Amino acid sequence: MSTTKLRDTILECLFEAQSGSNELQQEALQTLASITRVSPQNRTLLAQTNGAIPALLTLCKSSSPIIQTLSLSTLFNLSLNPNLKQSLADMETINHLNSIILSPTSPPESTKLASSLVCSLAMLDKNKAKFGVAGTIPLLVRAVSYPRNPAAHYLLSSLAELVQFHGNCTLAVRAGAVPVLIRVVKSTDGEDLSGTSLAVLELLSRFDEGLNALKKTDQVVSSMVEVLKGRSMMSKEGAAEILVRLFEESEDCLVDALKLPEFLTVLADISVRGSARAREKAGLLLKKTTEANLDSYTSDGSHMLF
């Protein structure tokens, strides 16, 4: 399709999406979503069309779930172009995405797409602080805390991207992210969610606020050891990294681990059968236990010899 014809198609679709019947709106938005799915050039052309992005944002507020979903899908496609991320992440867009994520009446597919759009836009470092200012961080933490949220994985992925910025990490900790994420890790909703939650906790533990919150969490060491005993290698890698950081900052955490009779056995197993990263972290943990200048005790109180 030539550029001229494509531009005409875009203009026609935008007109029909805003003024046509529900059926015409769907067809127009399906066309826009289709032509922007794989072509960076088409995304740029749509984004540069006068009034296109405000129109799509307005359509995202439609009471029709399919219209809302198709509009969000098209905006998400646009966000895949690195050169469009900054212009798309204005406060109006961010605030509207926040309202979709937080609303209990939003269709699950809309919540997933809104979360994915947040994640995509946050991949540009300049945008991360904007989401912090707009209140997206506590909102994501709150949404993740909802039991069996069908968009949980998408929400956690967005949170993982945003907390790489120190200011957002602080906001997440203040919003209670650590206990919320620990509950997800310990839940039975799936190892995929557990692994992503541990990835977020690992990112939070890079900064003092997150690490201090983890140290204050009741039975955090035994919770991480339980993860090490599980099947998910991604989860084991995250739990092992968190334990490394806890041991570096707190002798009490190391003592707590050594009181668990299965701890050294689990580490030995991972150091042989784990992934490369898991083996590396297990090796560091074993080294810390042997080098520790502590009176370490087993669960029955007897002295543990290394």
Side-chain angles (χ1 to χ4, degrees):
M1 186 183 297
S2 68
T3 302
T4 302
K5 183 170 177 56
L6 181 61
R7 186 177 287 110
D8 290 341
T9 300
I10 288 172
L11 289 170
E12 182 182 352
C13 286
L14 286 171
F15 176 78
E16 291 180 349
Q18 295 176 86
S19 58
S21 64
N22 191 269
E23 185 178 349
L24 280 176
Q25 283 185 312
Q26 287 187 41
E27 291 177 0
L29 288 169
Q30 283 171 343
T31 299
L32 291 176
S34 177
I35 65 176
T36 55
R37 187 168 294 122
V38 295
S39 172
Q41 293 78 14
N42 291 356
R43 295 171 195 149
T44 299
L45 193 59
L46 174 58
Q48 291 175 343
T49 301
N50 187 40
I53 292 175
L56 289 168
L57 282 171
T58 299
L59 289 164
C60 286
K61 302 173 185 178
S62 170
S63 59
S64 166
I66 185 63
I67 298 299
Q68 189 178 89
T69 298
L70 287 168
S71 304
L72 284 167
S73 182
T74 304
L75 285 169
F76 173 74
N77 291 345
L78 296 183
S79 76
L80 297 177
N81 275 24
N83 64 313
L84 297 177
K85 291 184 187 291
Q86 188 168 2
S87 60
L88 283 169
D90 61 22
M91 293 307 288
E92 181 184 358
T93 302
I94 293 173
N95 287 331
H96 184 56
L97 294 175
N98 286 352
S99 67
I100 292 174
I101 291 169
L102 192 59
S103 174
T105 60
S106 293
E109 194 61 30
S110 293
T111 305
K112 292 175 184 178
L113 282 166
S115 302
S116 296
L117 183 50
V118 169
C119 186
S120 177
L121 295 175
M123 288 178 182
L124 181 68
D125 287 343
K126 290 181 179 179
N127 286 342
K128 287 180 168 63
K130 291 182 181 180
F131 285 99
V133 171
T136 305
I137 314 303
L139 182 149
L140 287 171
V141 172
R142 180 178 171 185
V144 168
S145 71
Y146 296 156
R148 301 191 179 280
N149 190 326
H153 178 73
Y154 300 85
L155 296 163
L156 286 167
S157 296
S158 297
L159 194 57
E161 189 62 44
L162 287 166
V163 298
Q164 294 179 50
F165 175 62
H166 190 175
N168 289 343
C169 171
T170 302
L171 292 171
V173 172
R174 289 177 180 173
V178 170
V180 166
L181 293 167
I182 291 289
R183 283 199 297 273
V184 176
V185 169
K186 296 167 72 173
S187 74
T188 57
D189 287 348
E191 291 184 338
D192 184 46
L193 290 181
S194 174
T196 310
S197 297
L198 284 161
V200 180
L201 285 169
E202 185 182 337
L203 288 165
L204 293 177
S205 72
R206 296 185 307 166
F207 303 109
D208 289 343
E209 299 95 327
L211 192 57
N212 288 335
L214 278 166
K215 285 191 294 184
K216 294 175 182 177
T217 301
D218 189 39
Q219 297 184 331
V220 63
V221 172
S222 60
S223 295
M224 293 302 106
V225 174
E226 282 300 312
V227 174
L228 294 180
K229 292 159 61 178
R231 294 179 299 173
S232 168
M233 196 54 62
M234 177 185 174
S235 295
K236 291 181 182 182
E237 291 170 357
E241 176 62 31
I242 289 168
L243 286 173
V244 168
R245 290 179 179 162
L246 287 172
F247 290 0
E248 287 174 346
E249 294 293 322
S250 170
E251 290 184 350
D252 289 342
C253 288
L254 179 52
V255 171
D256 287 343
L258 292 170
K259 289 178 180 178
L260 300 172
E262 70 273 32
F263 178 61
L264 293 177
T265 304
V266 170
L267 288 186
D269 180 69
I270 293 174
S271 66
V272 175
R273 299 197 298 169
S275 64
R277 183 167 181 252
R279 292 198 305 271
E280 176 193 358
K281 299 304 176 185
L284 285 173
L285 291 169
L286 285 168
K287 185 177 180 181
K288 287 184 180 298
T289 62
T290 57
E291 291 180 348
N293 184 23
L294 296 167
D295 289 329
S296 302
Y297 294 86
T298 60
S299 58
D300 64 359
S302 61
H303 189 63
M304 181 177 291
L305 298 175
F306 300 110

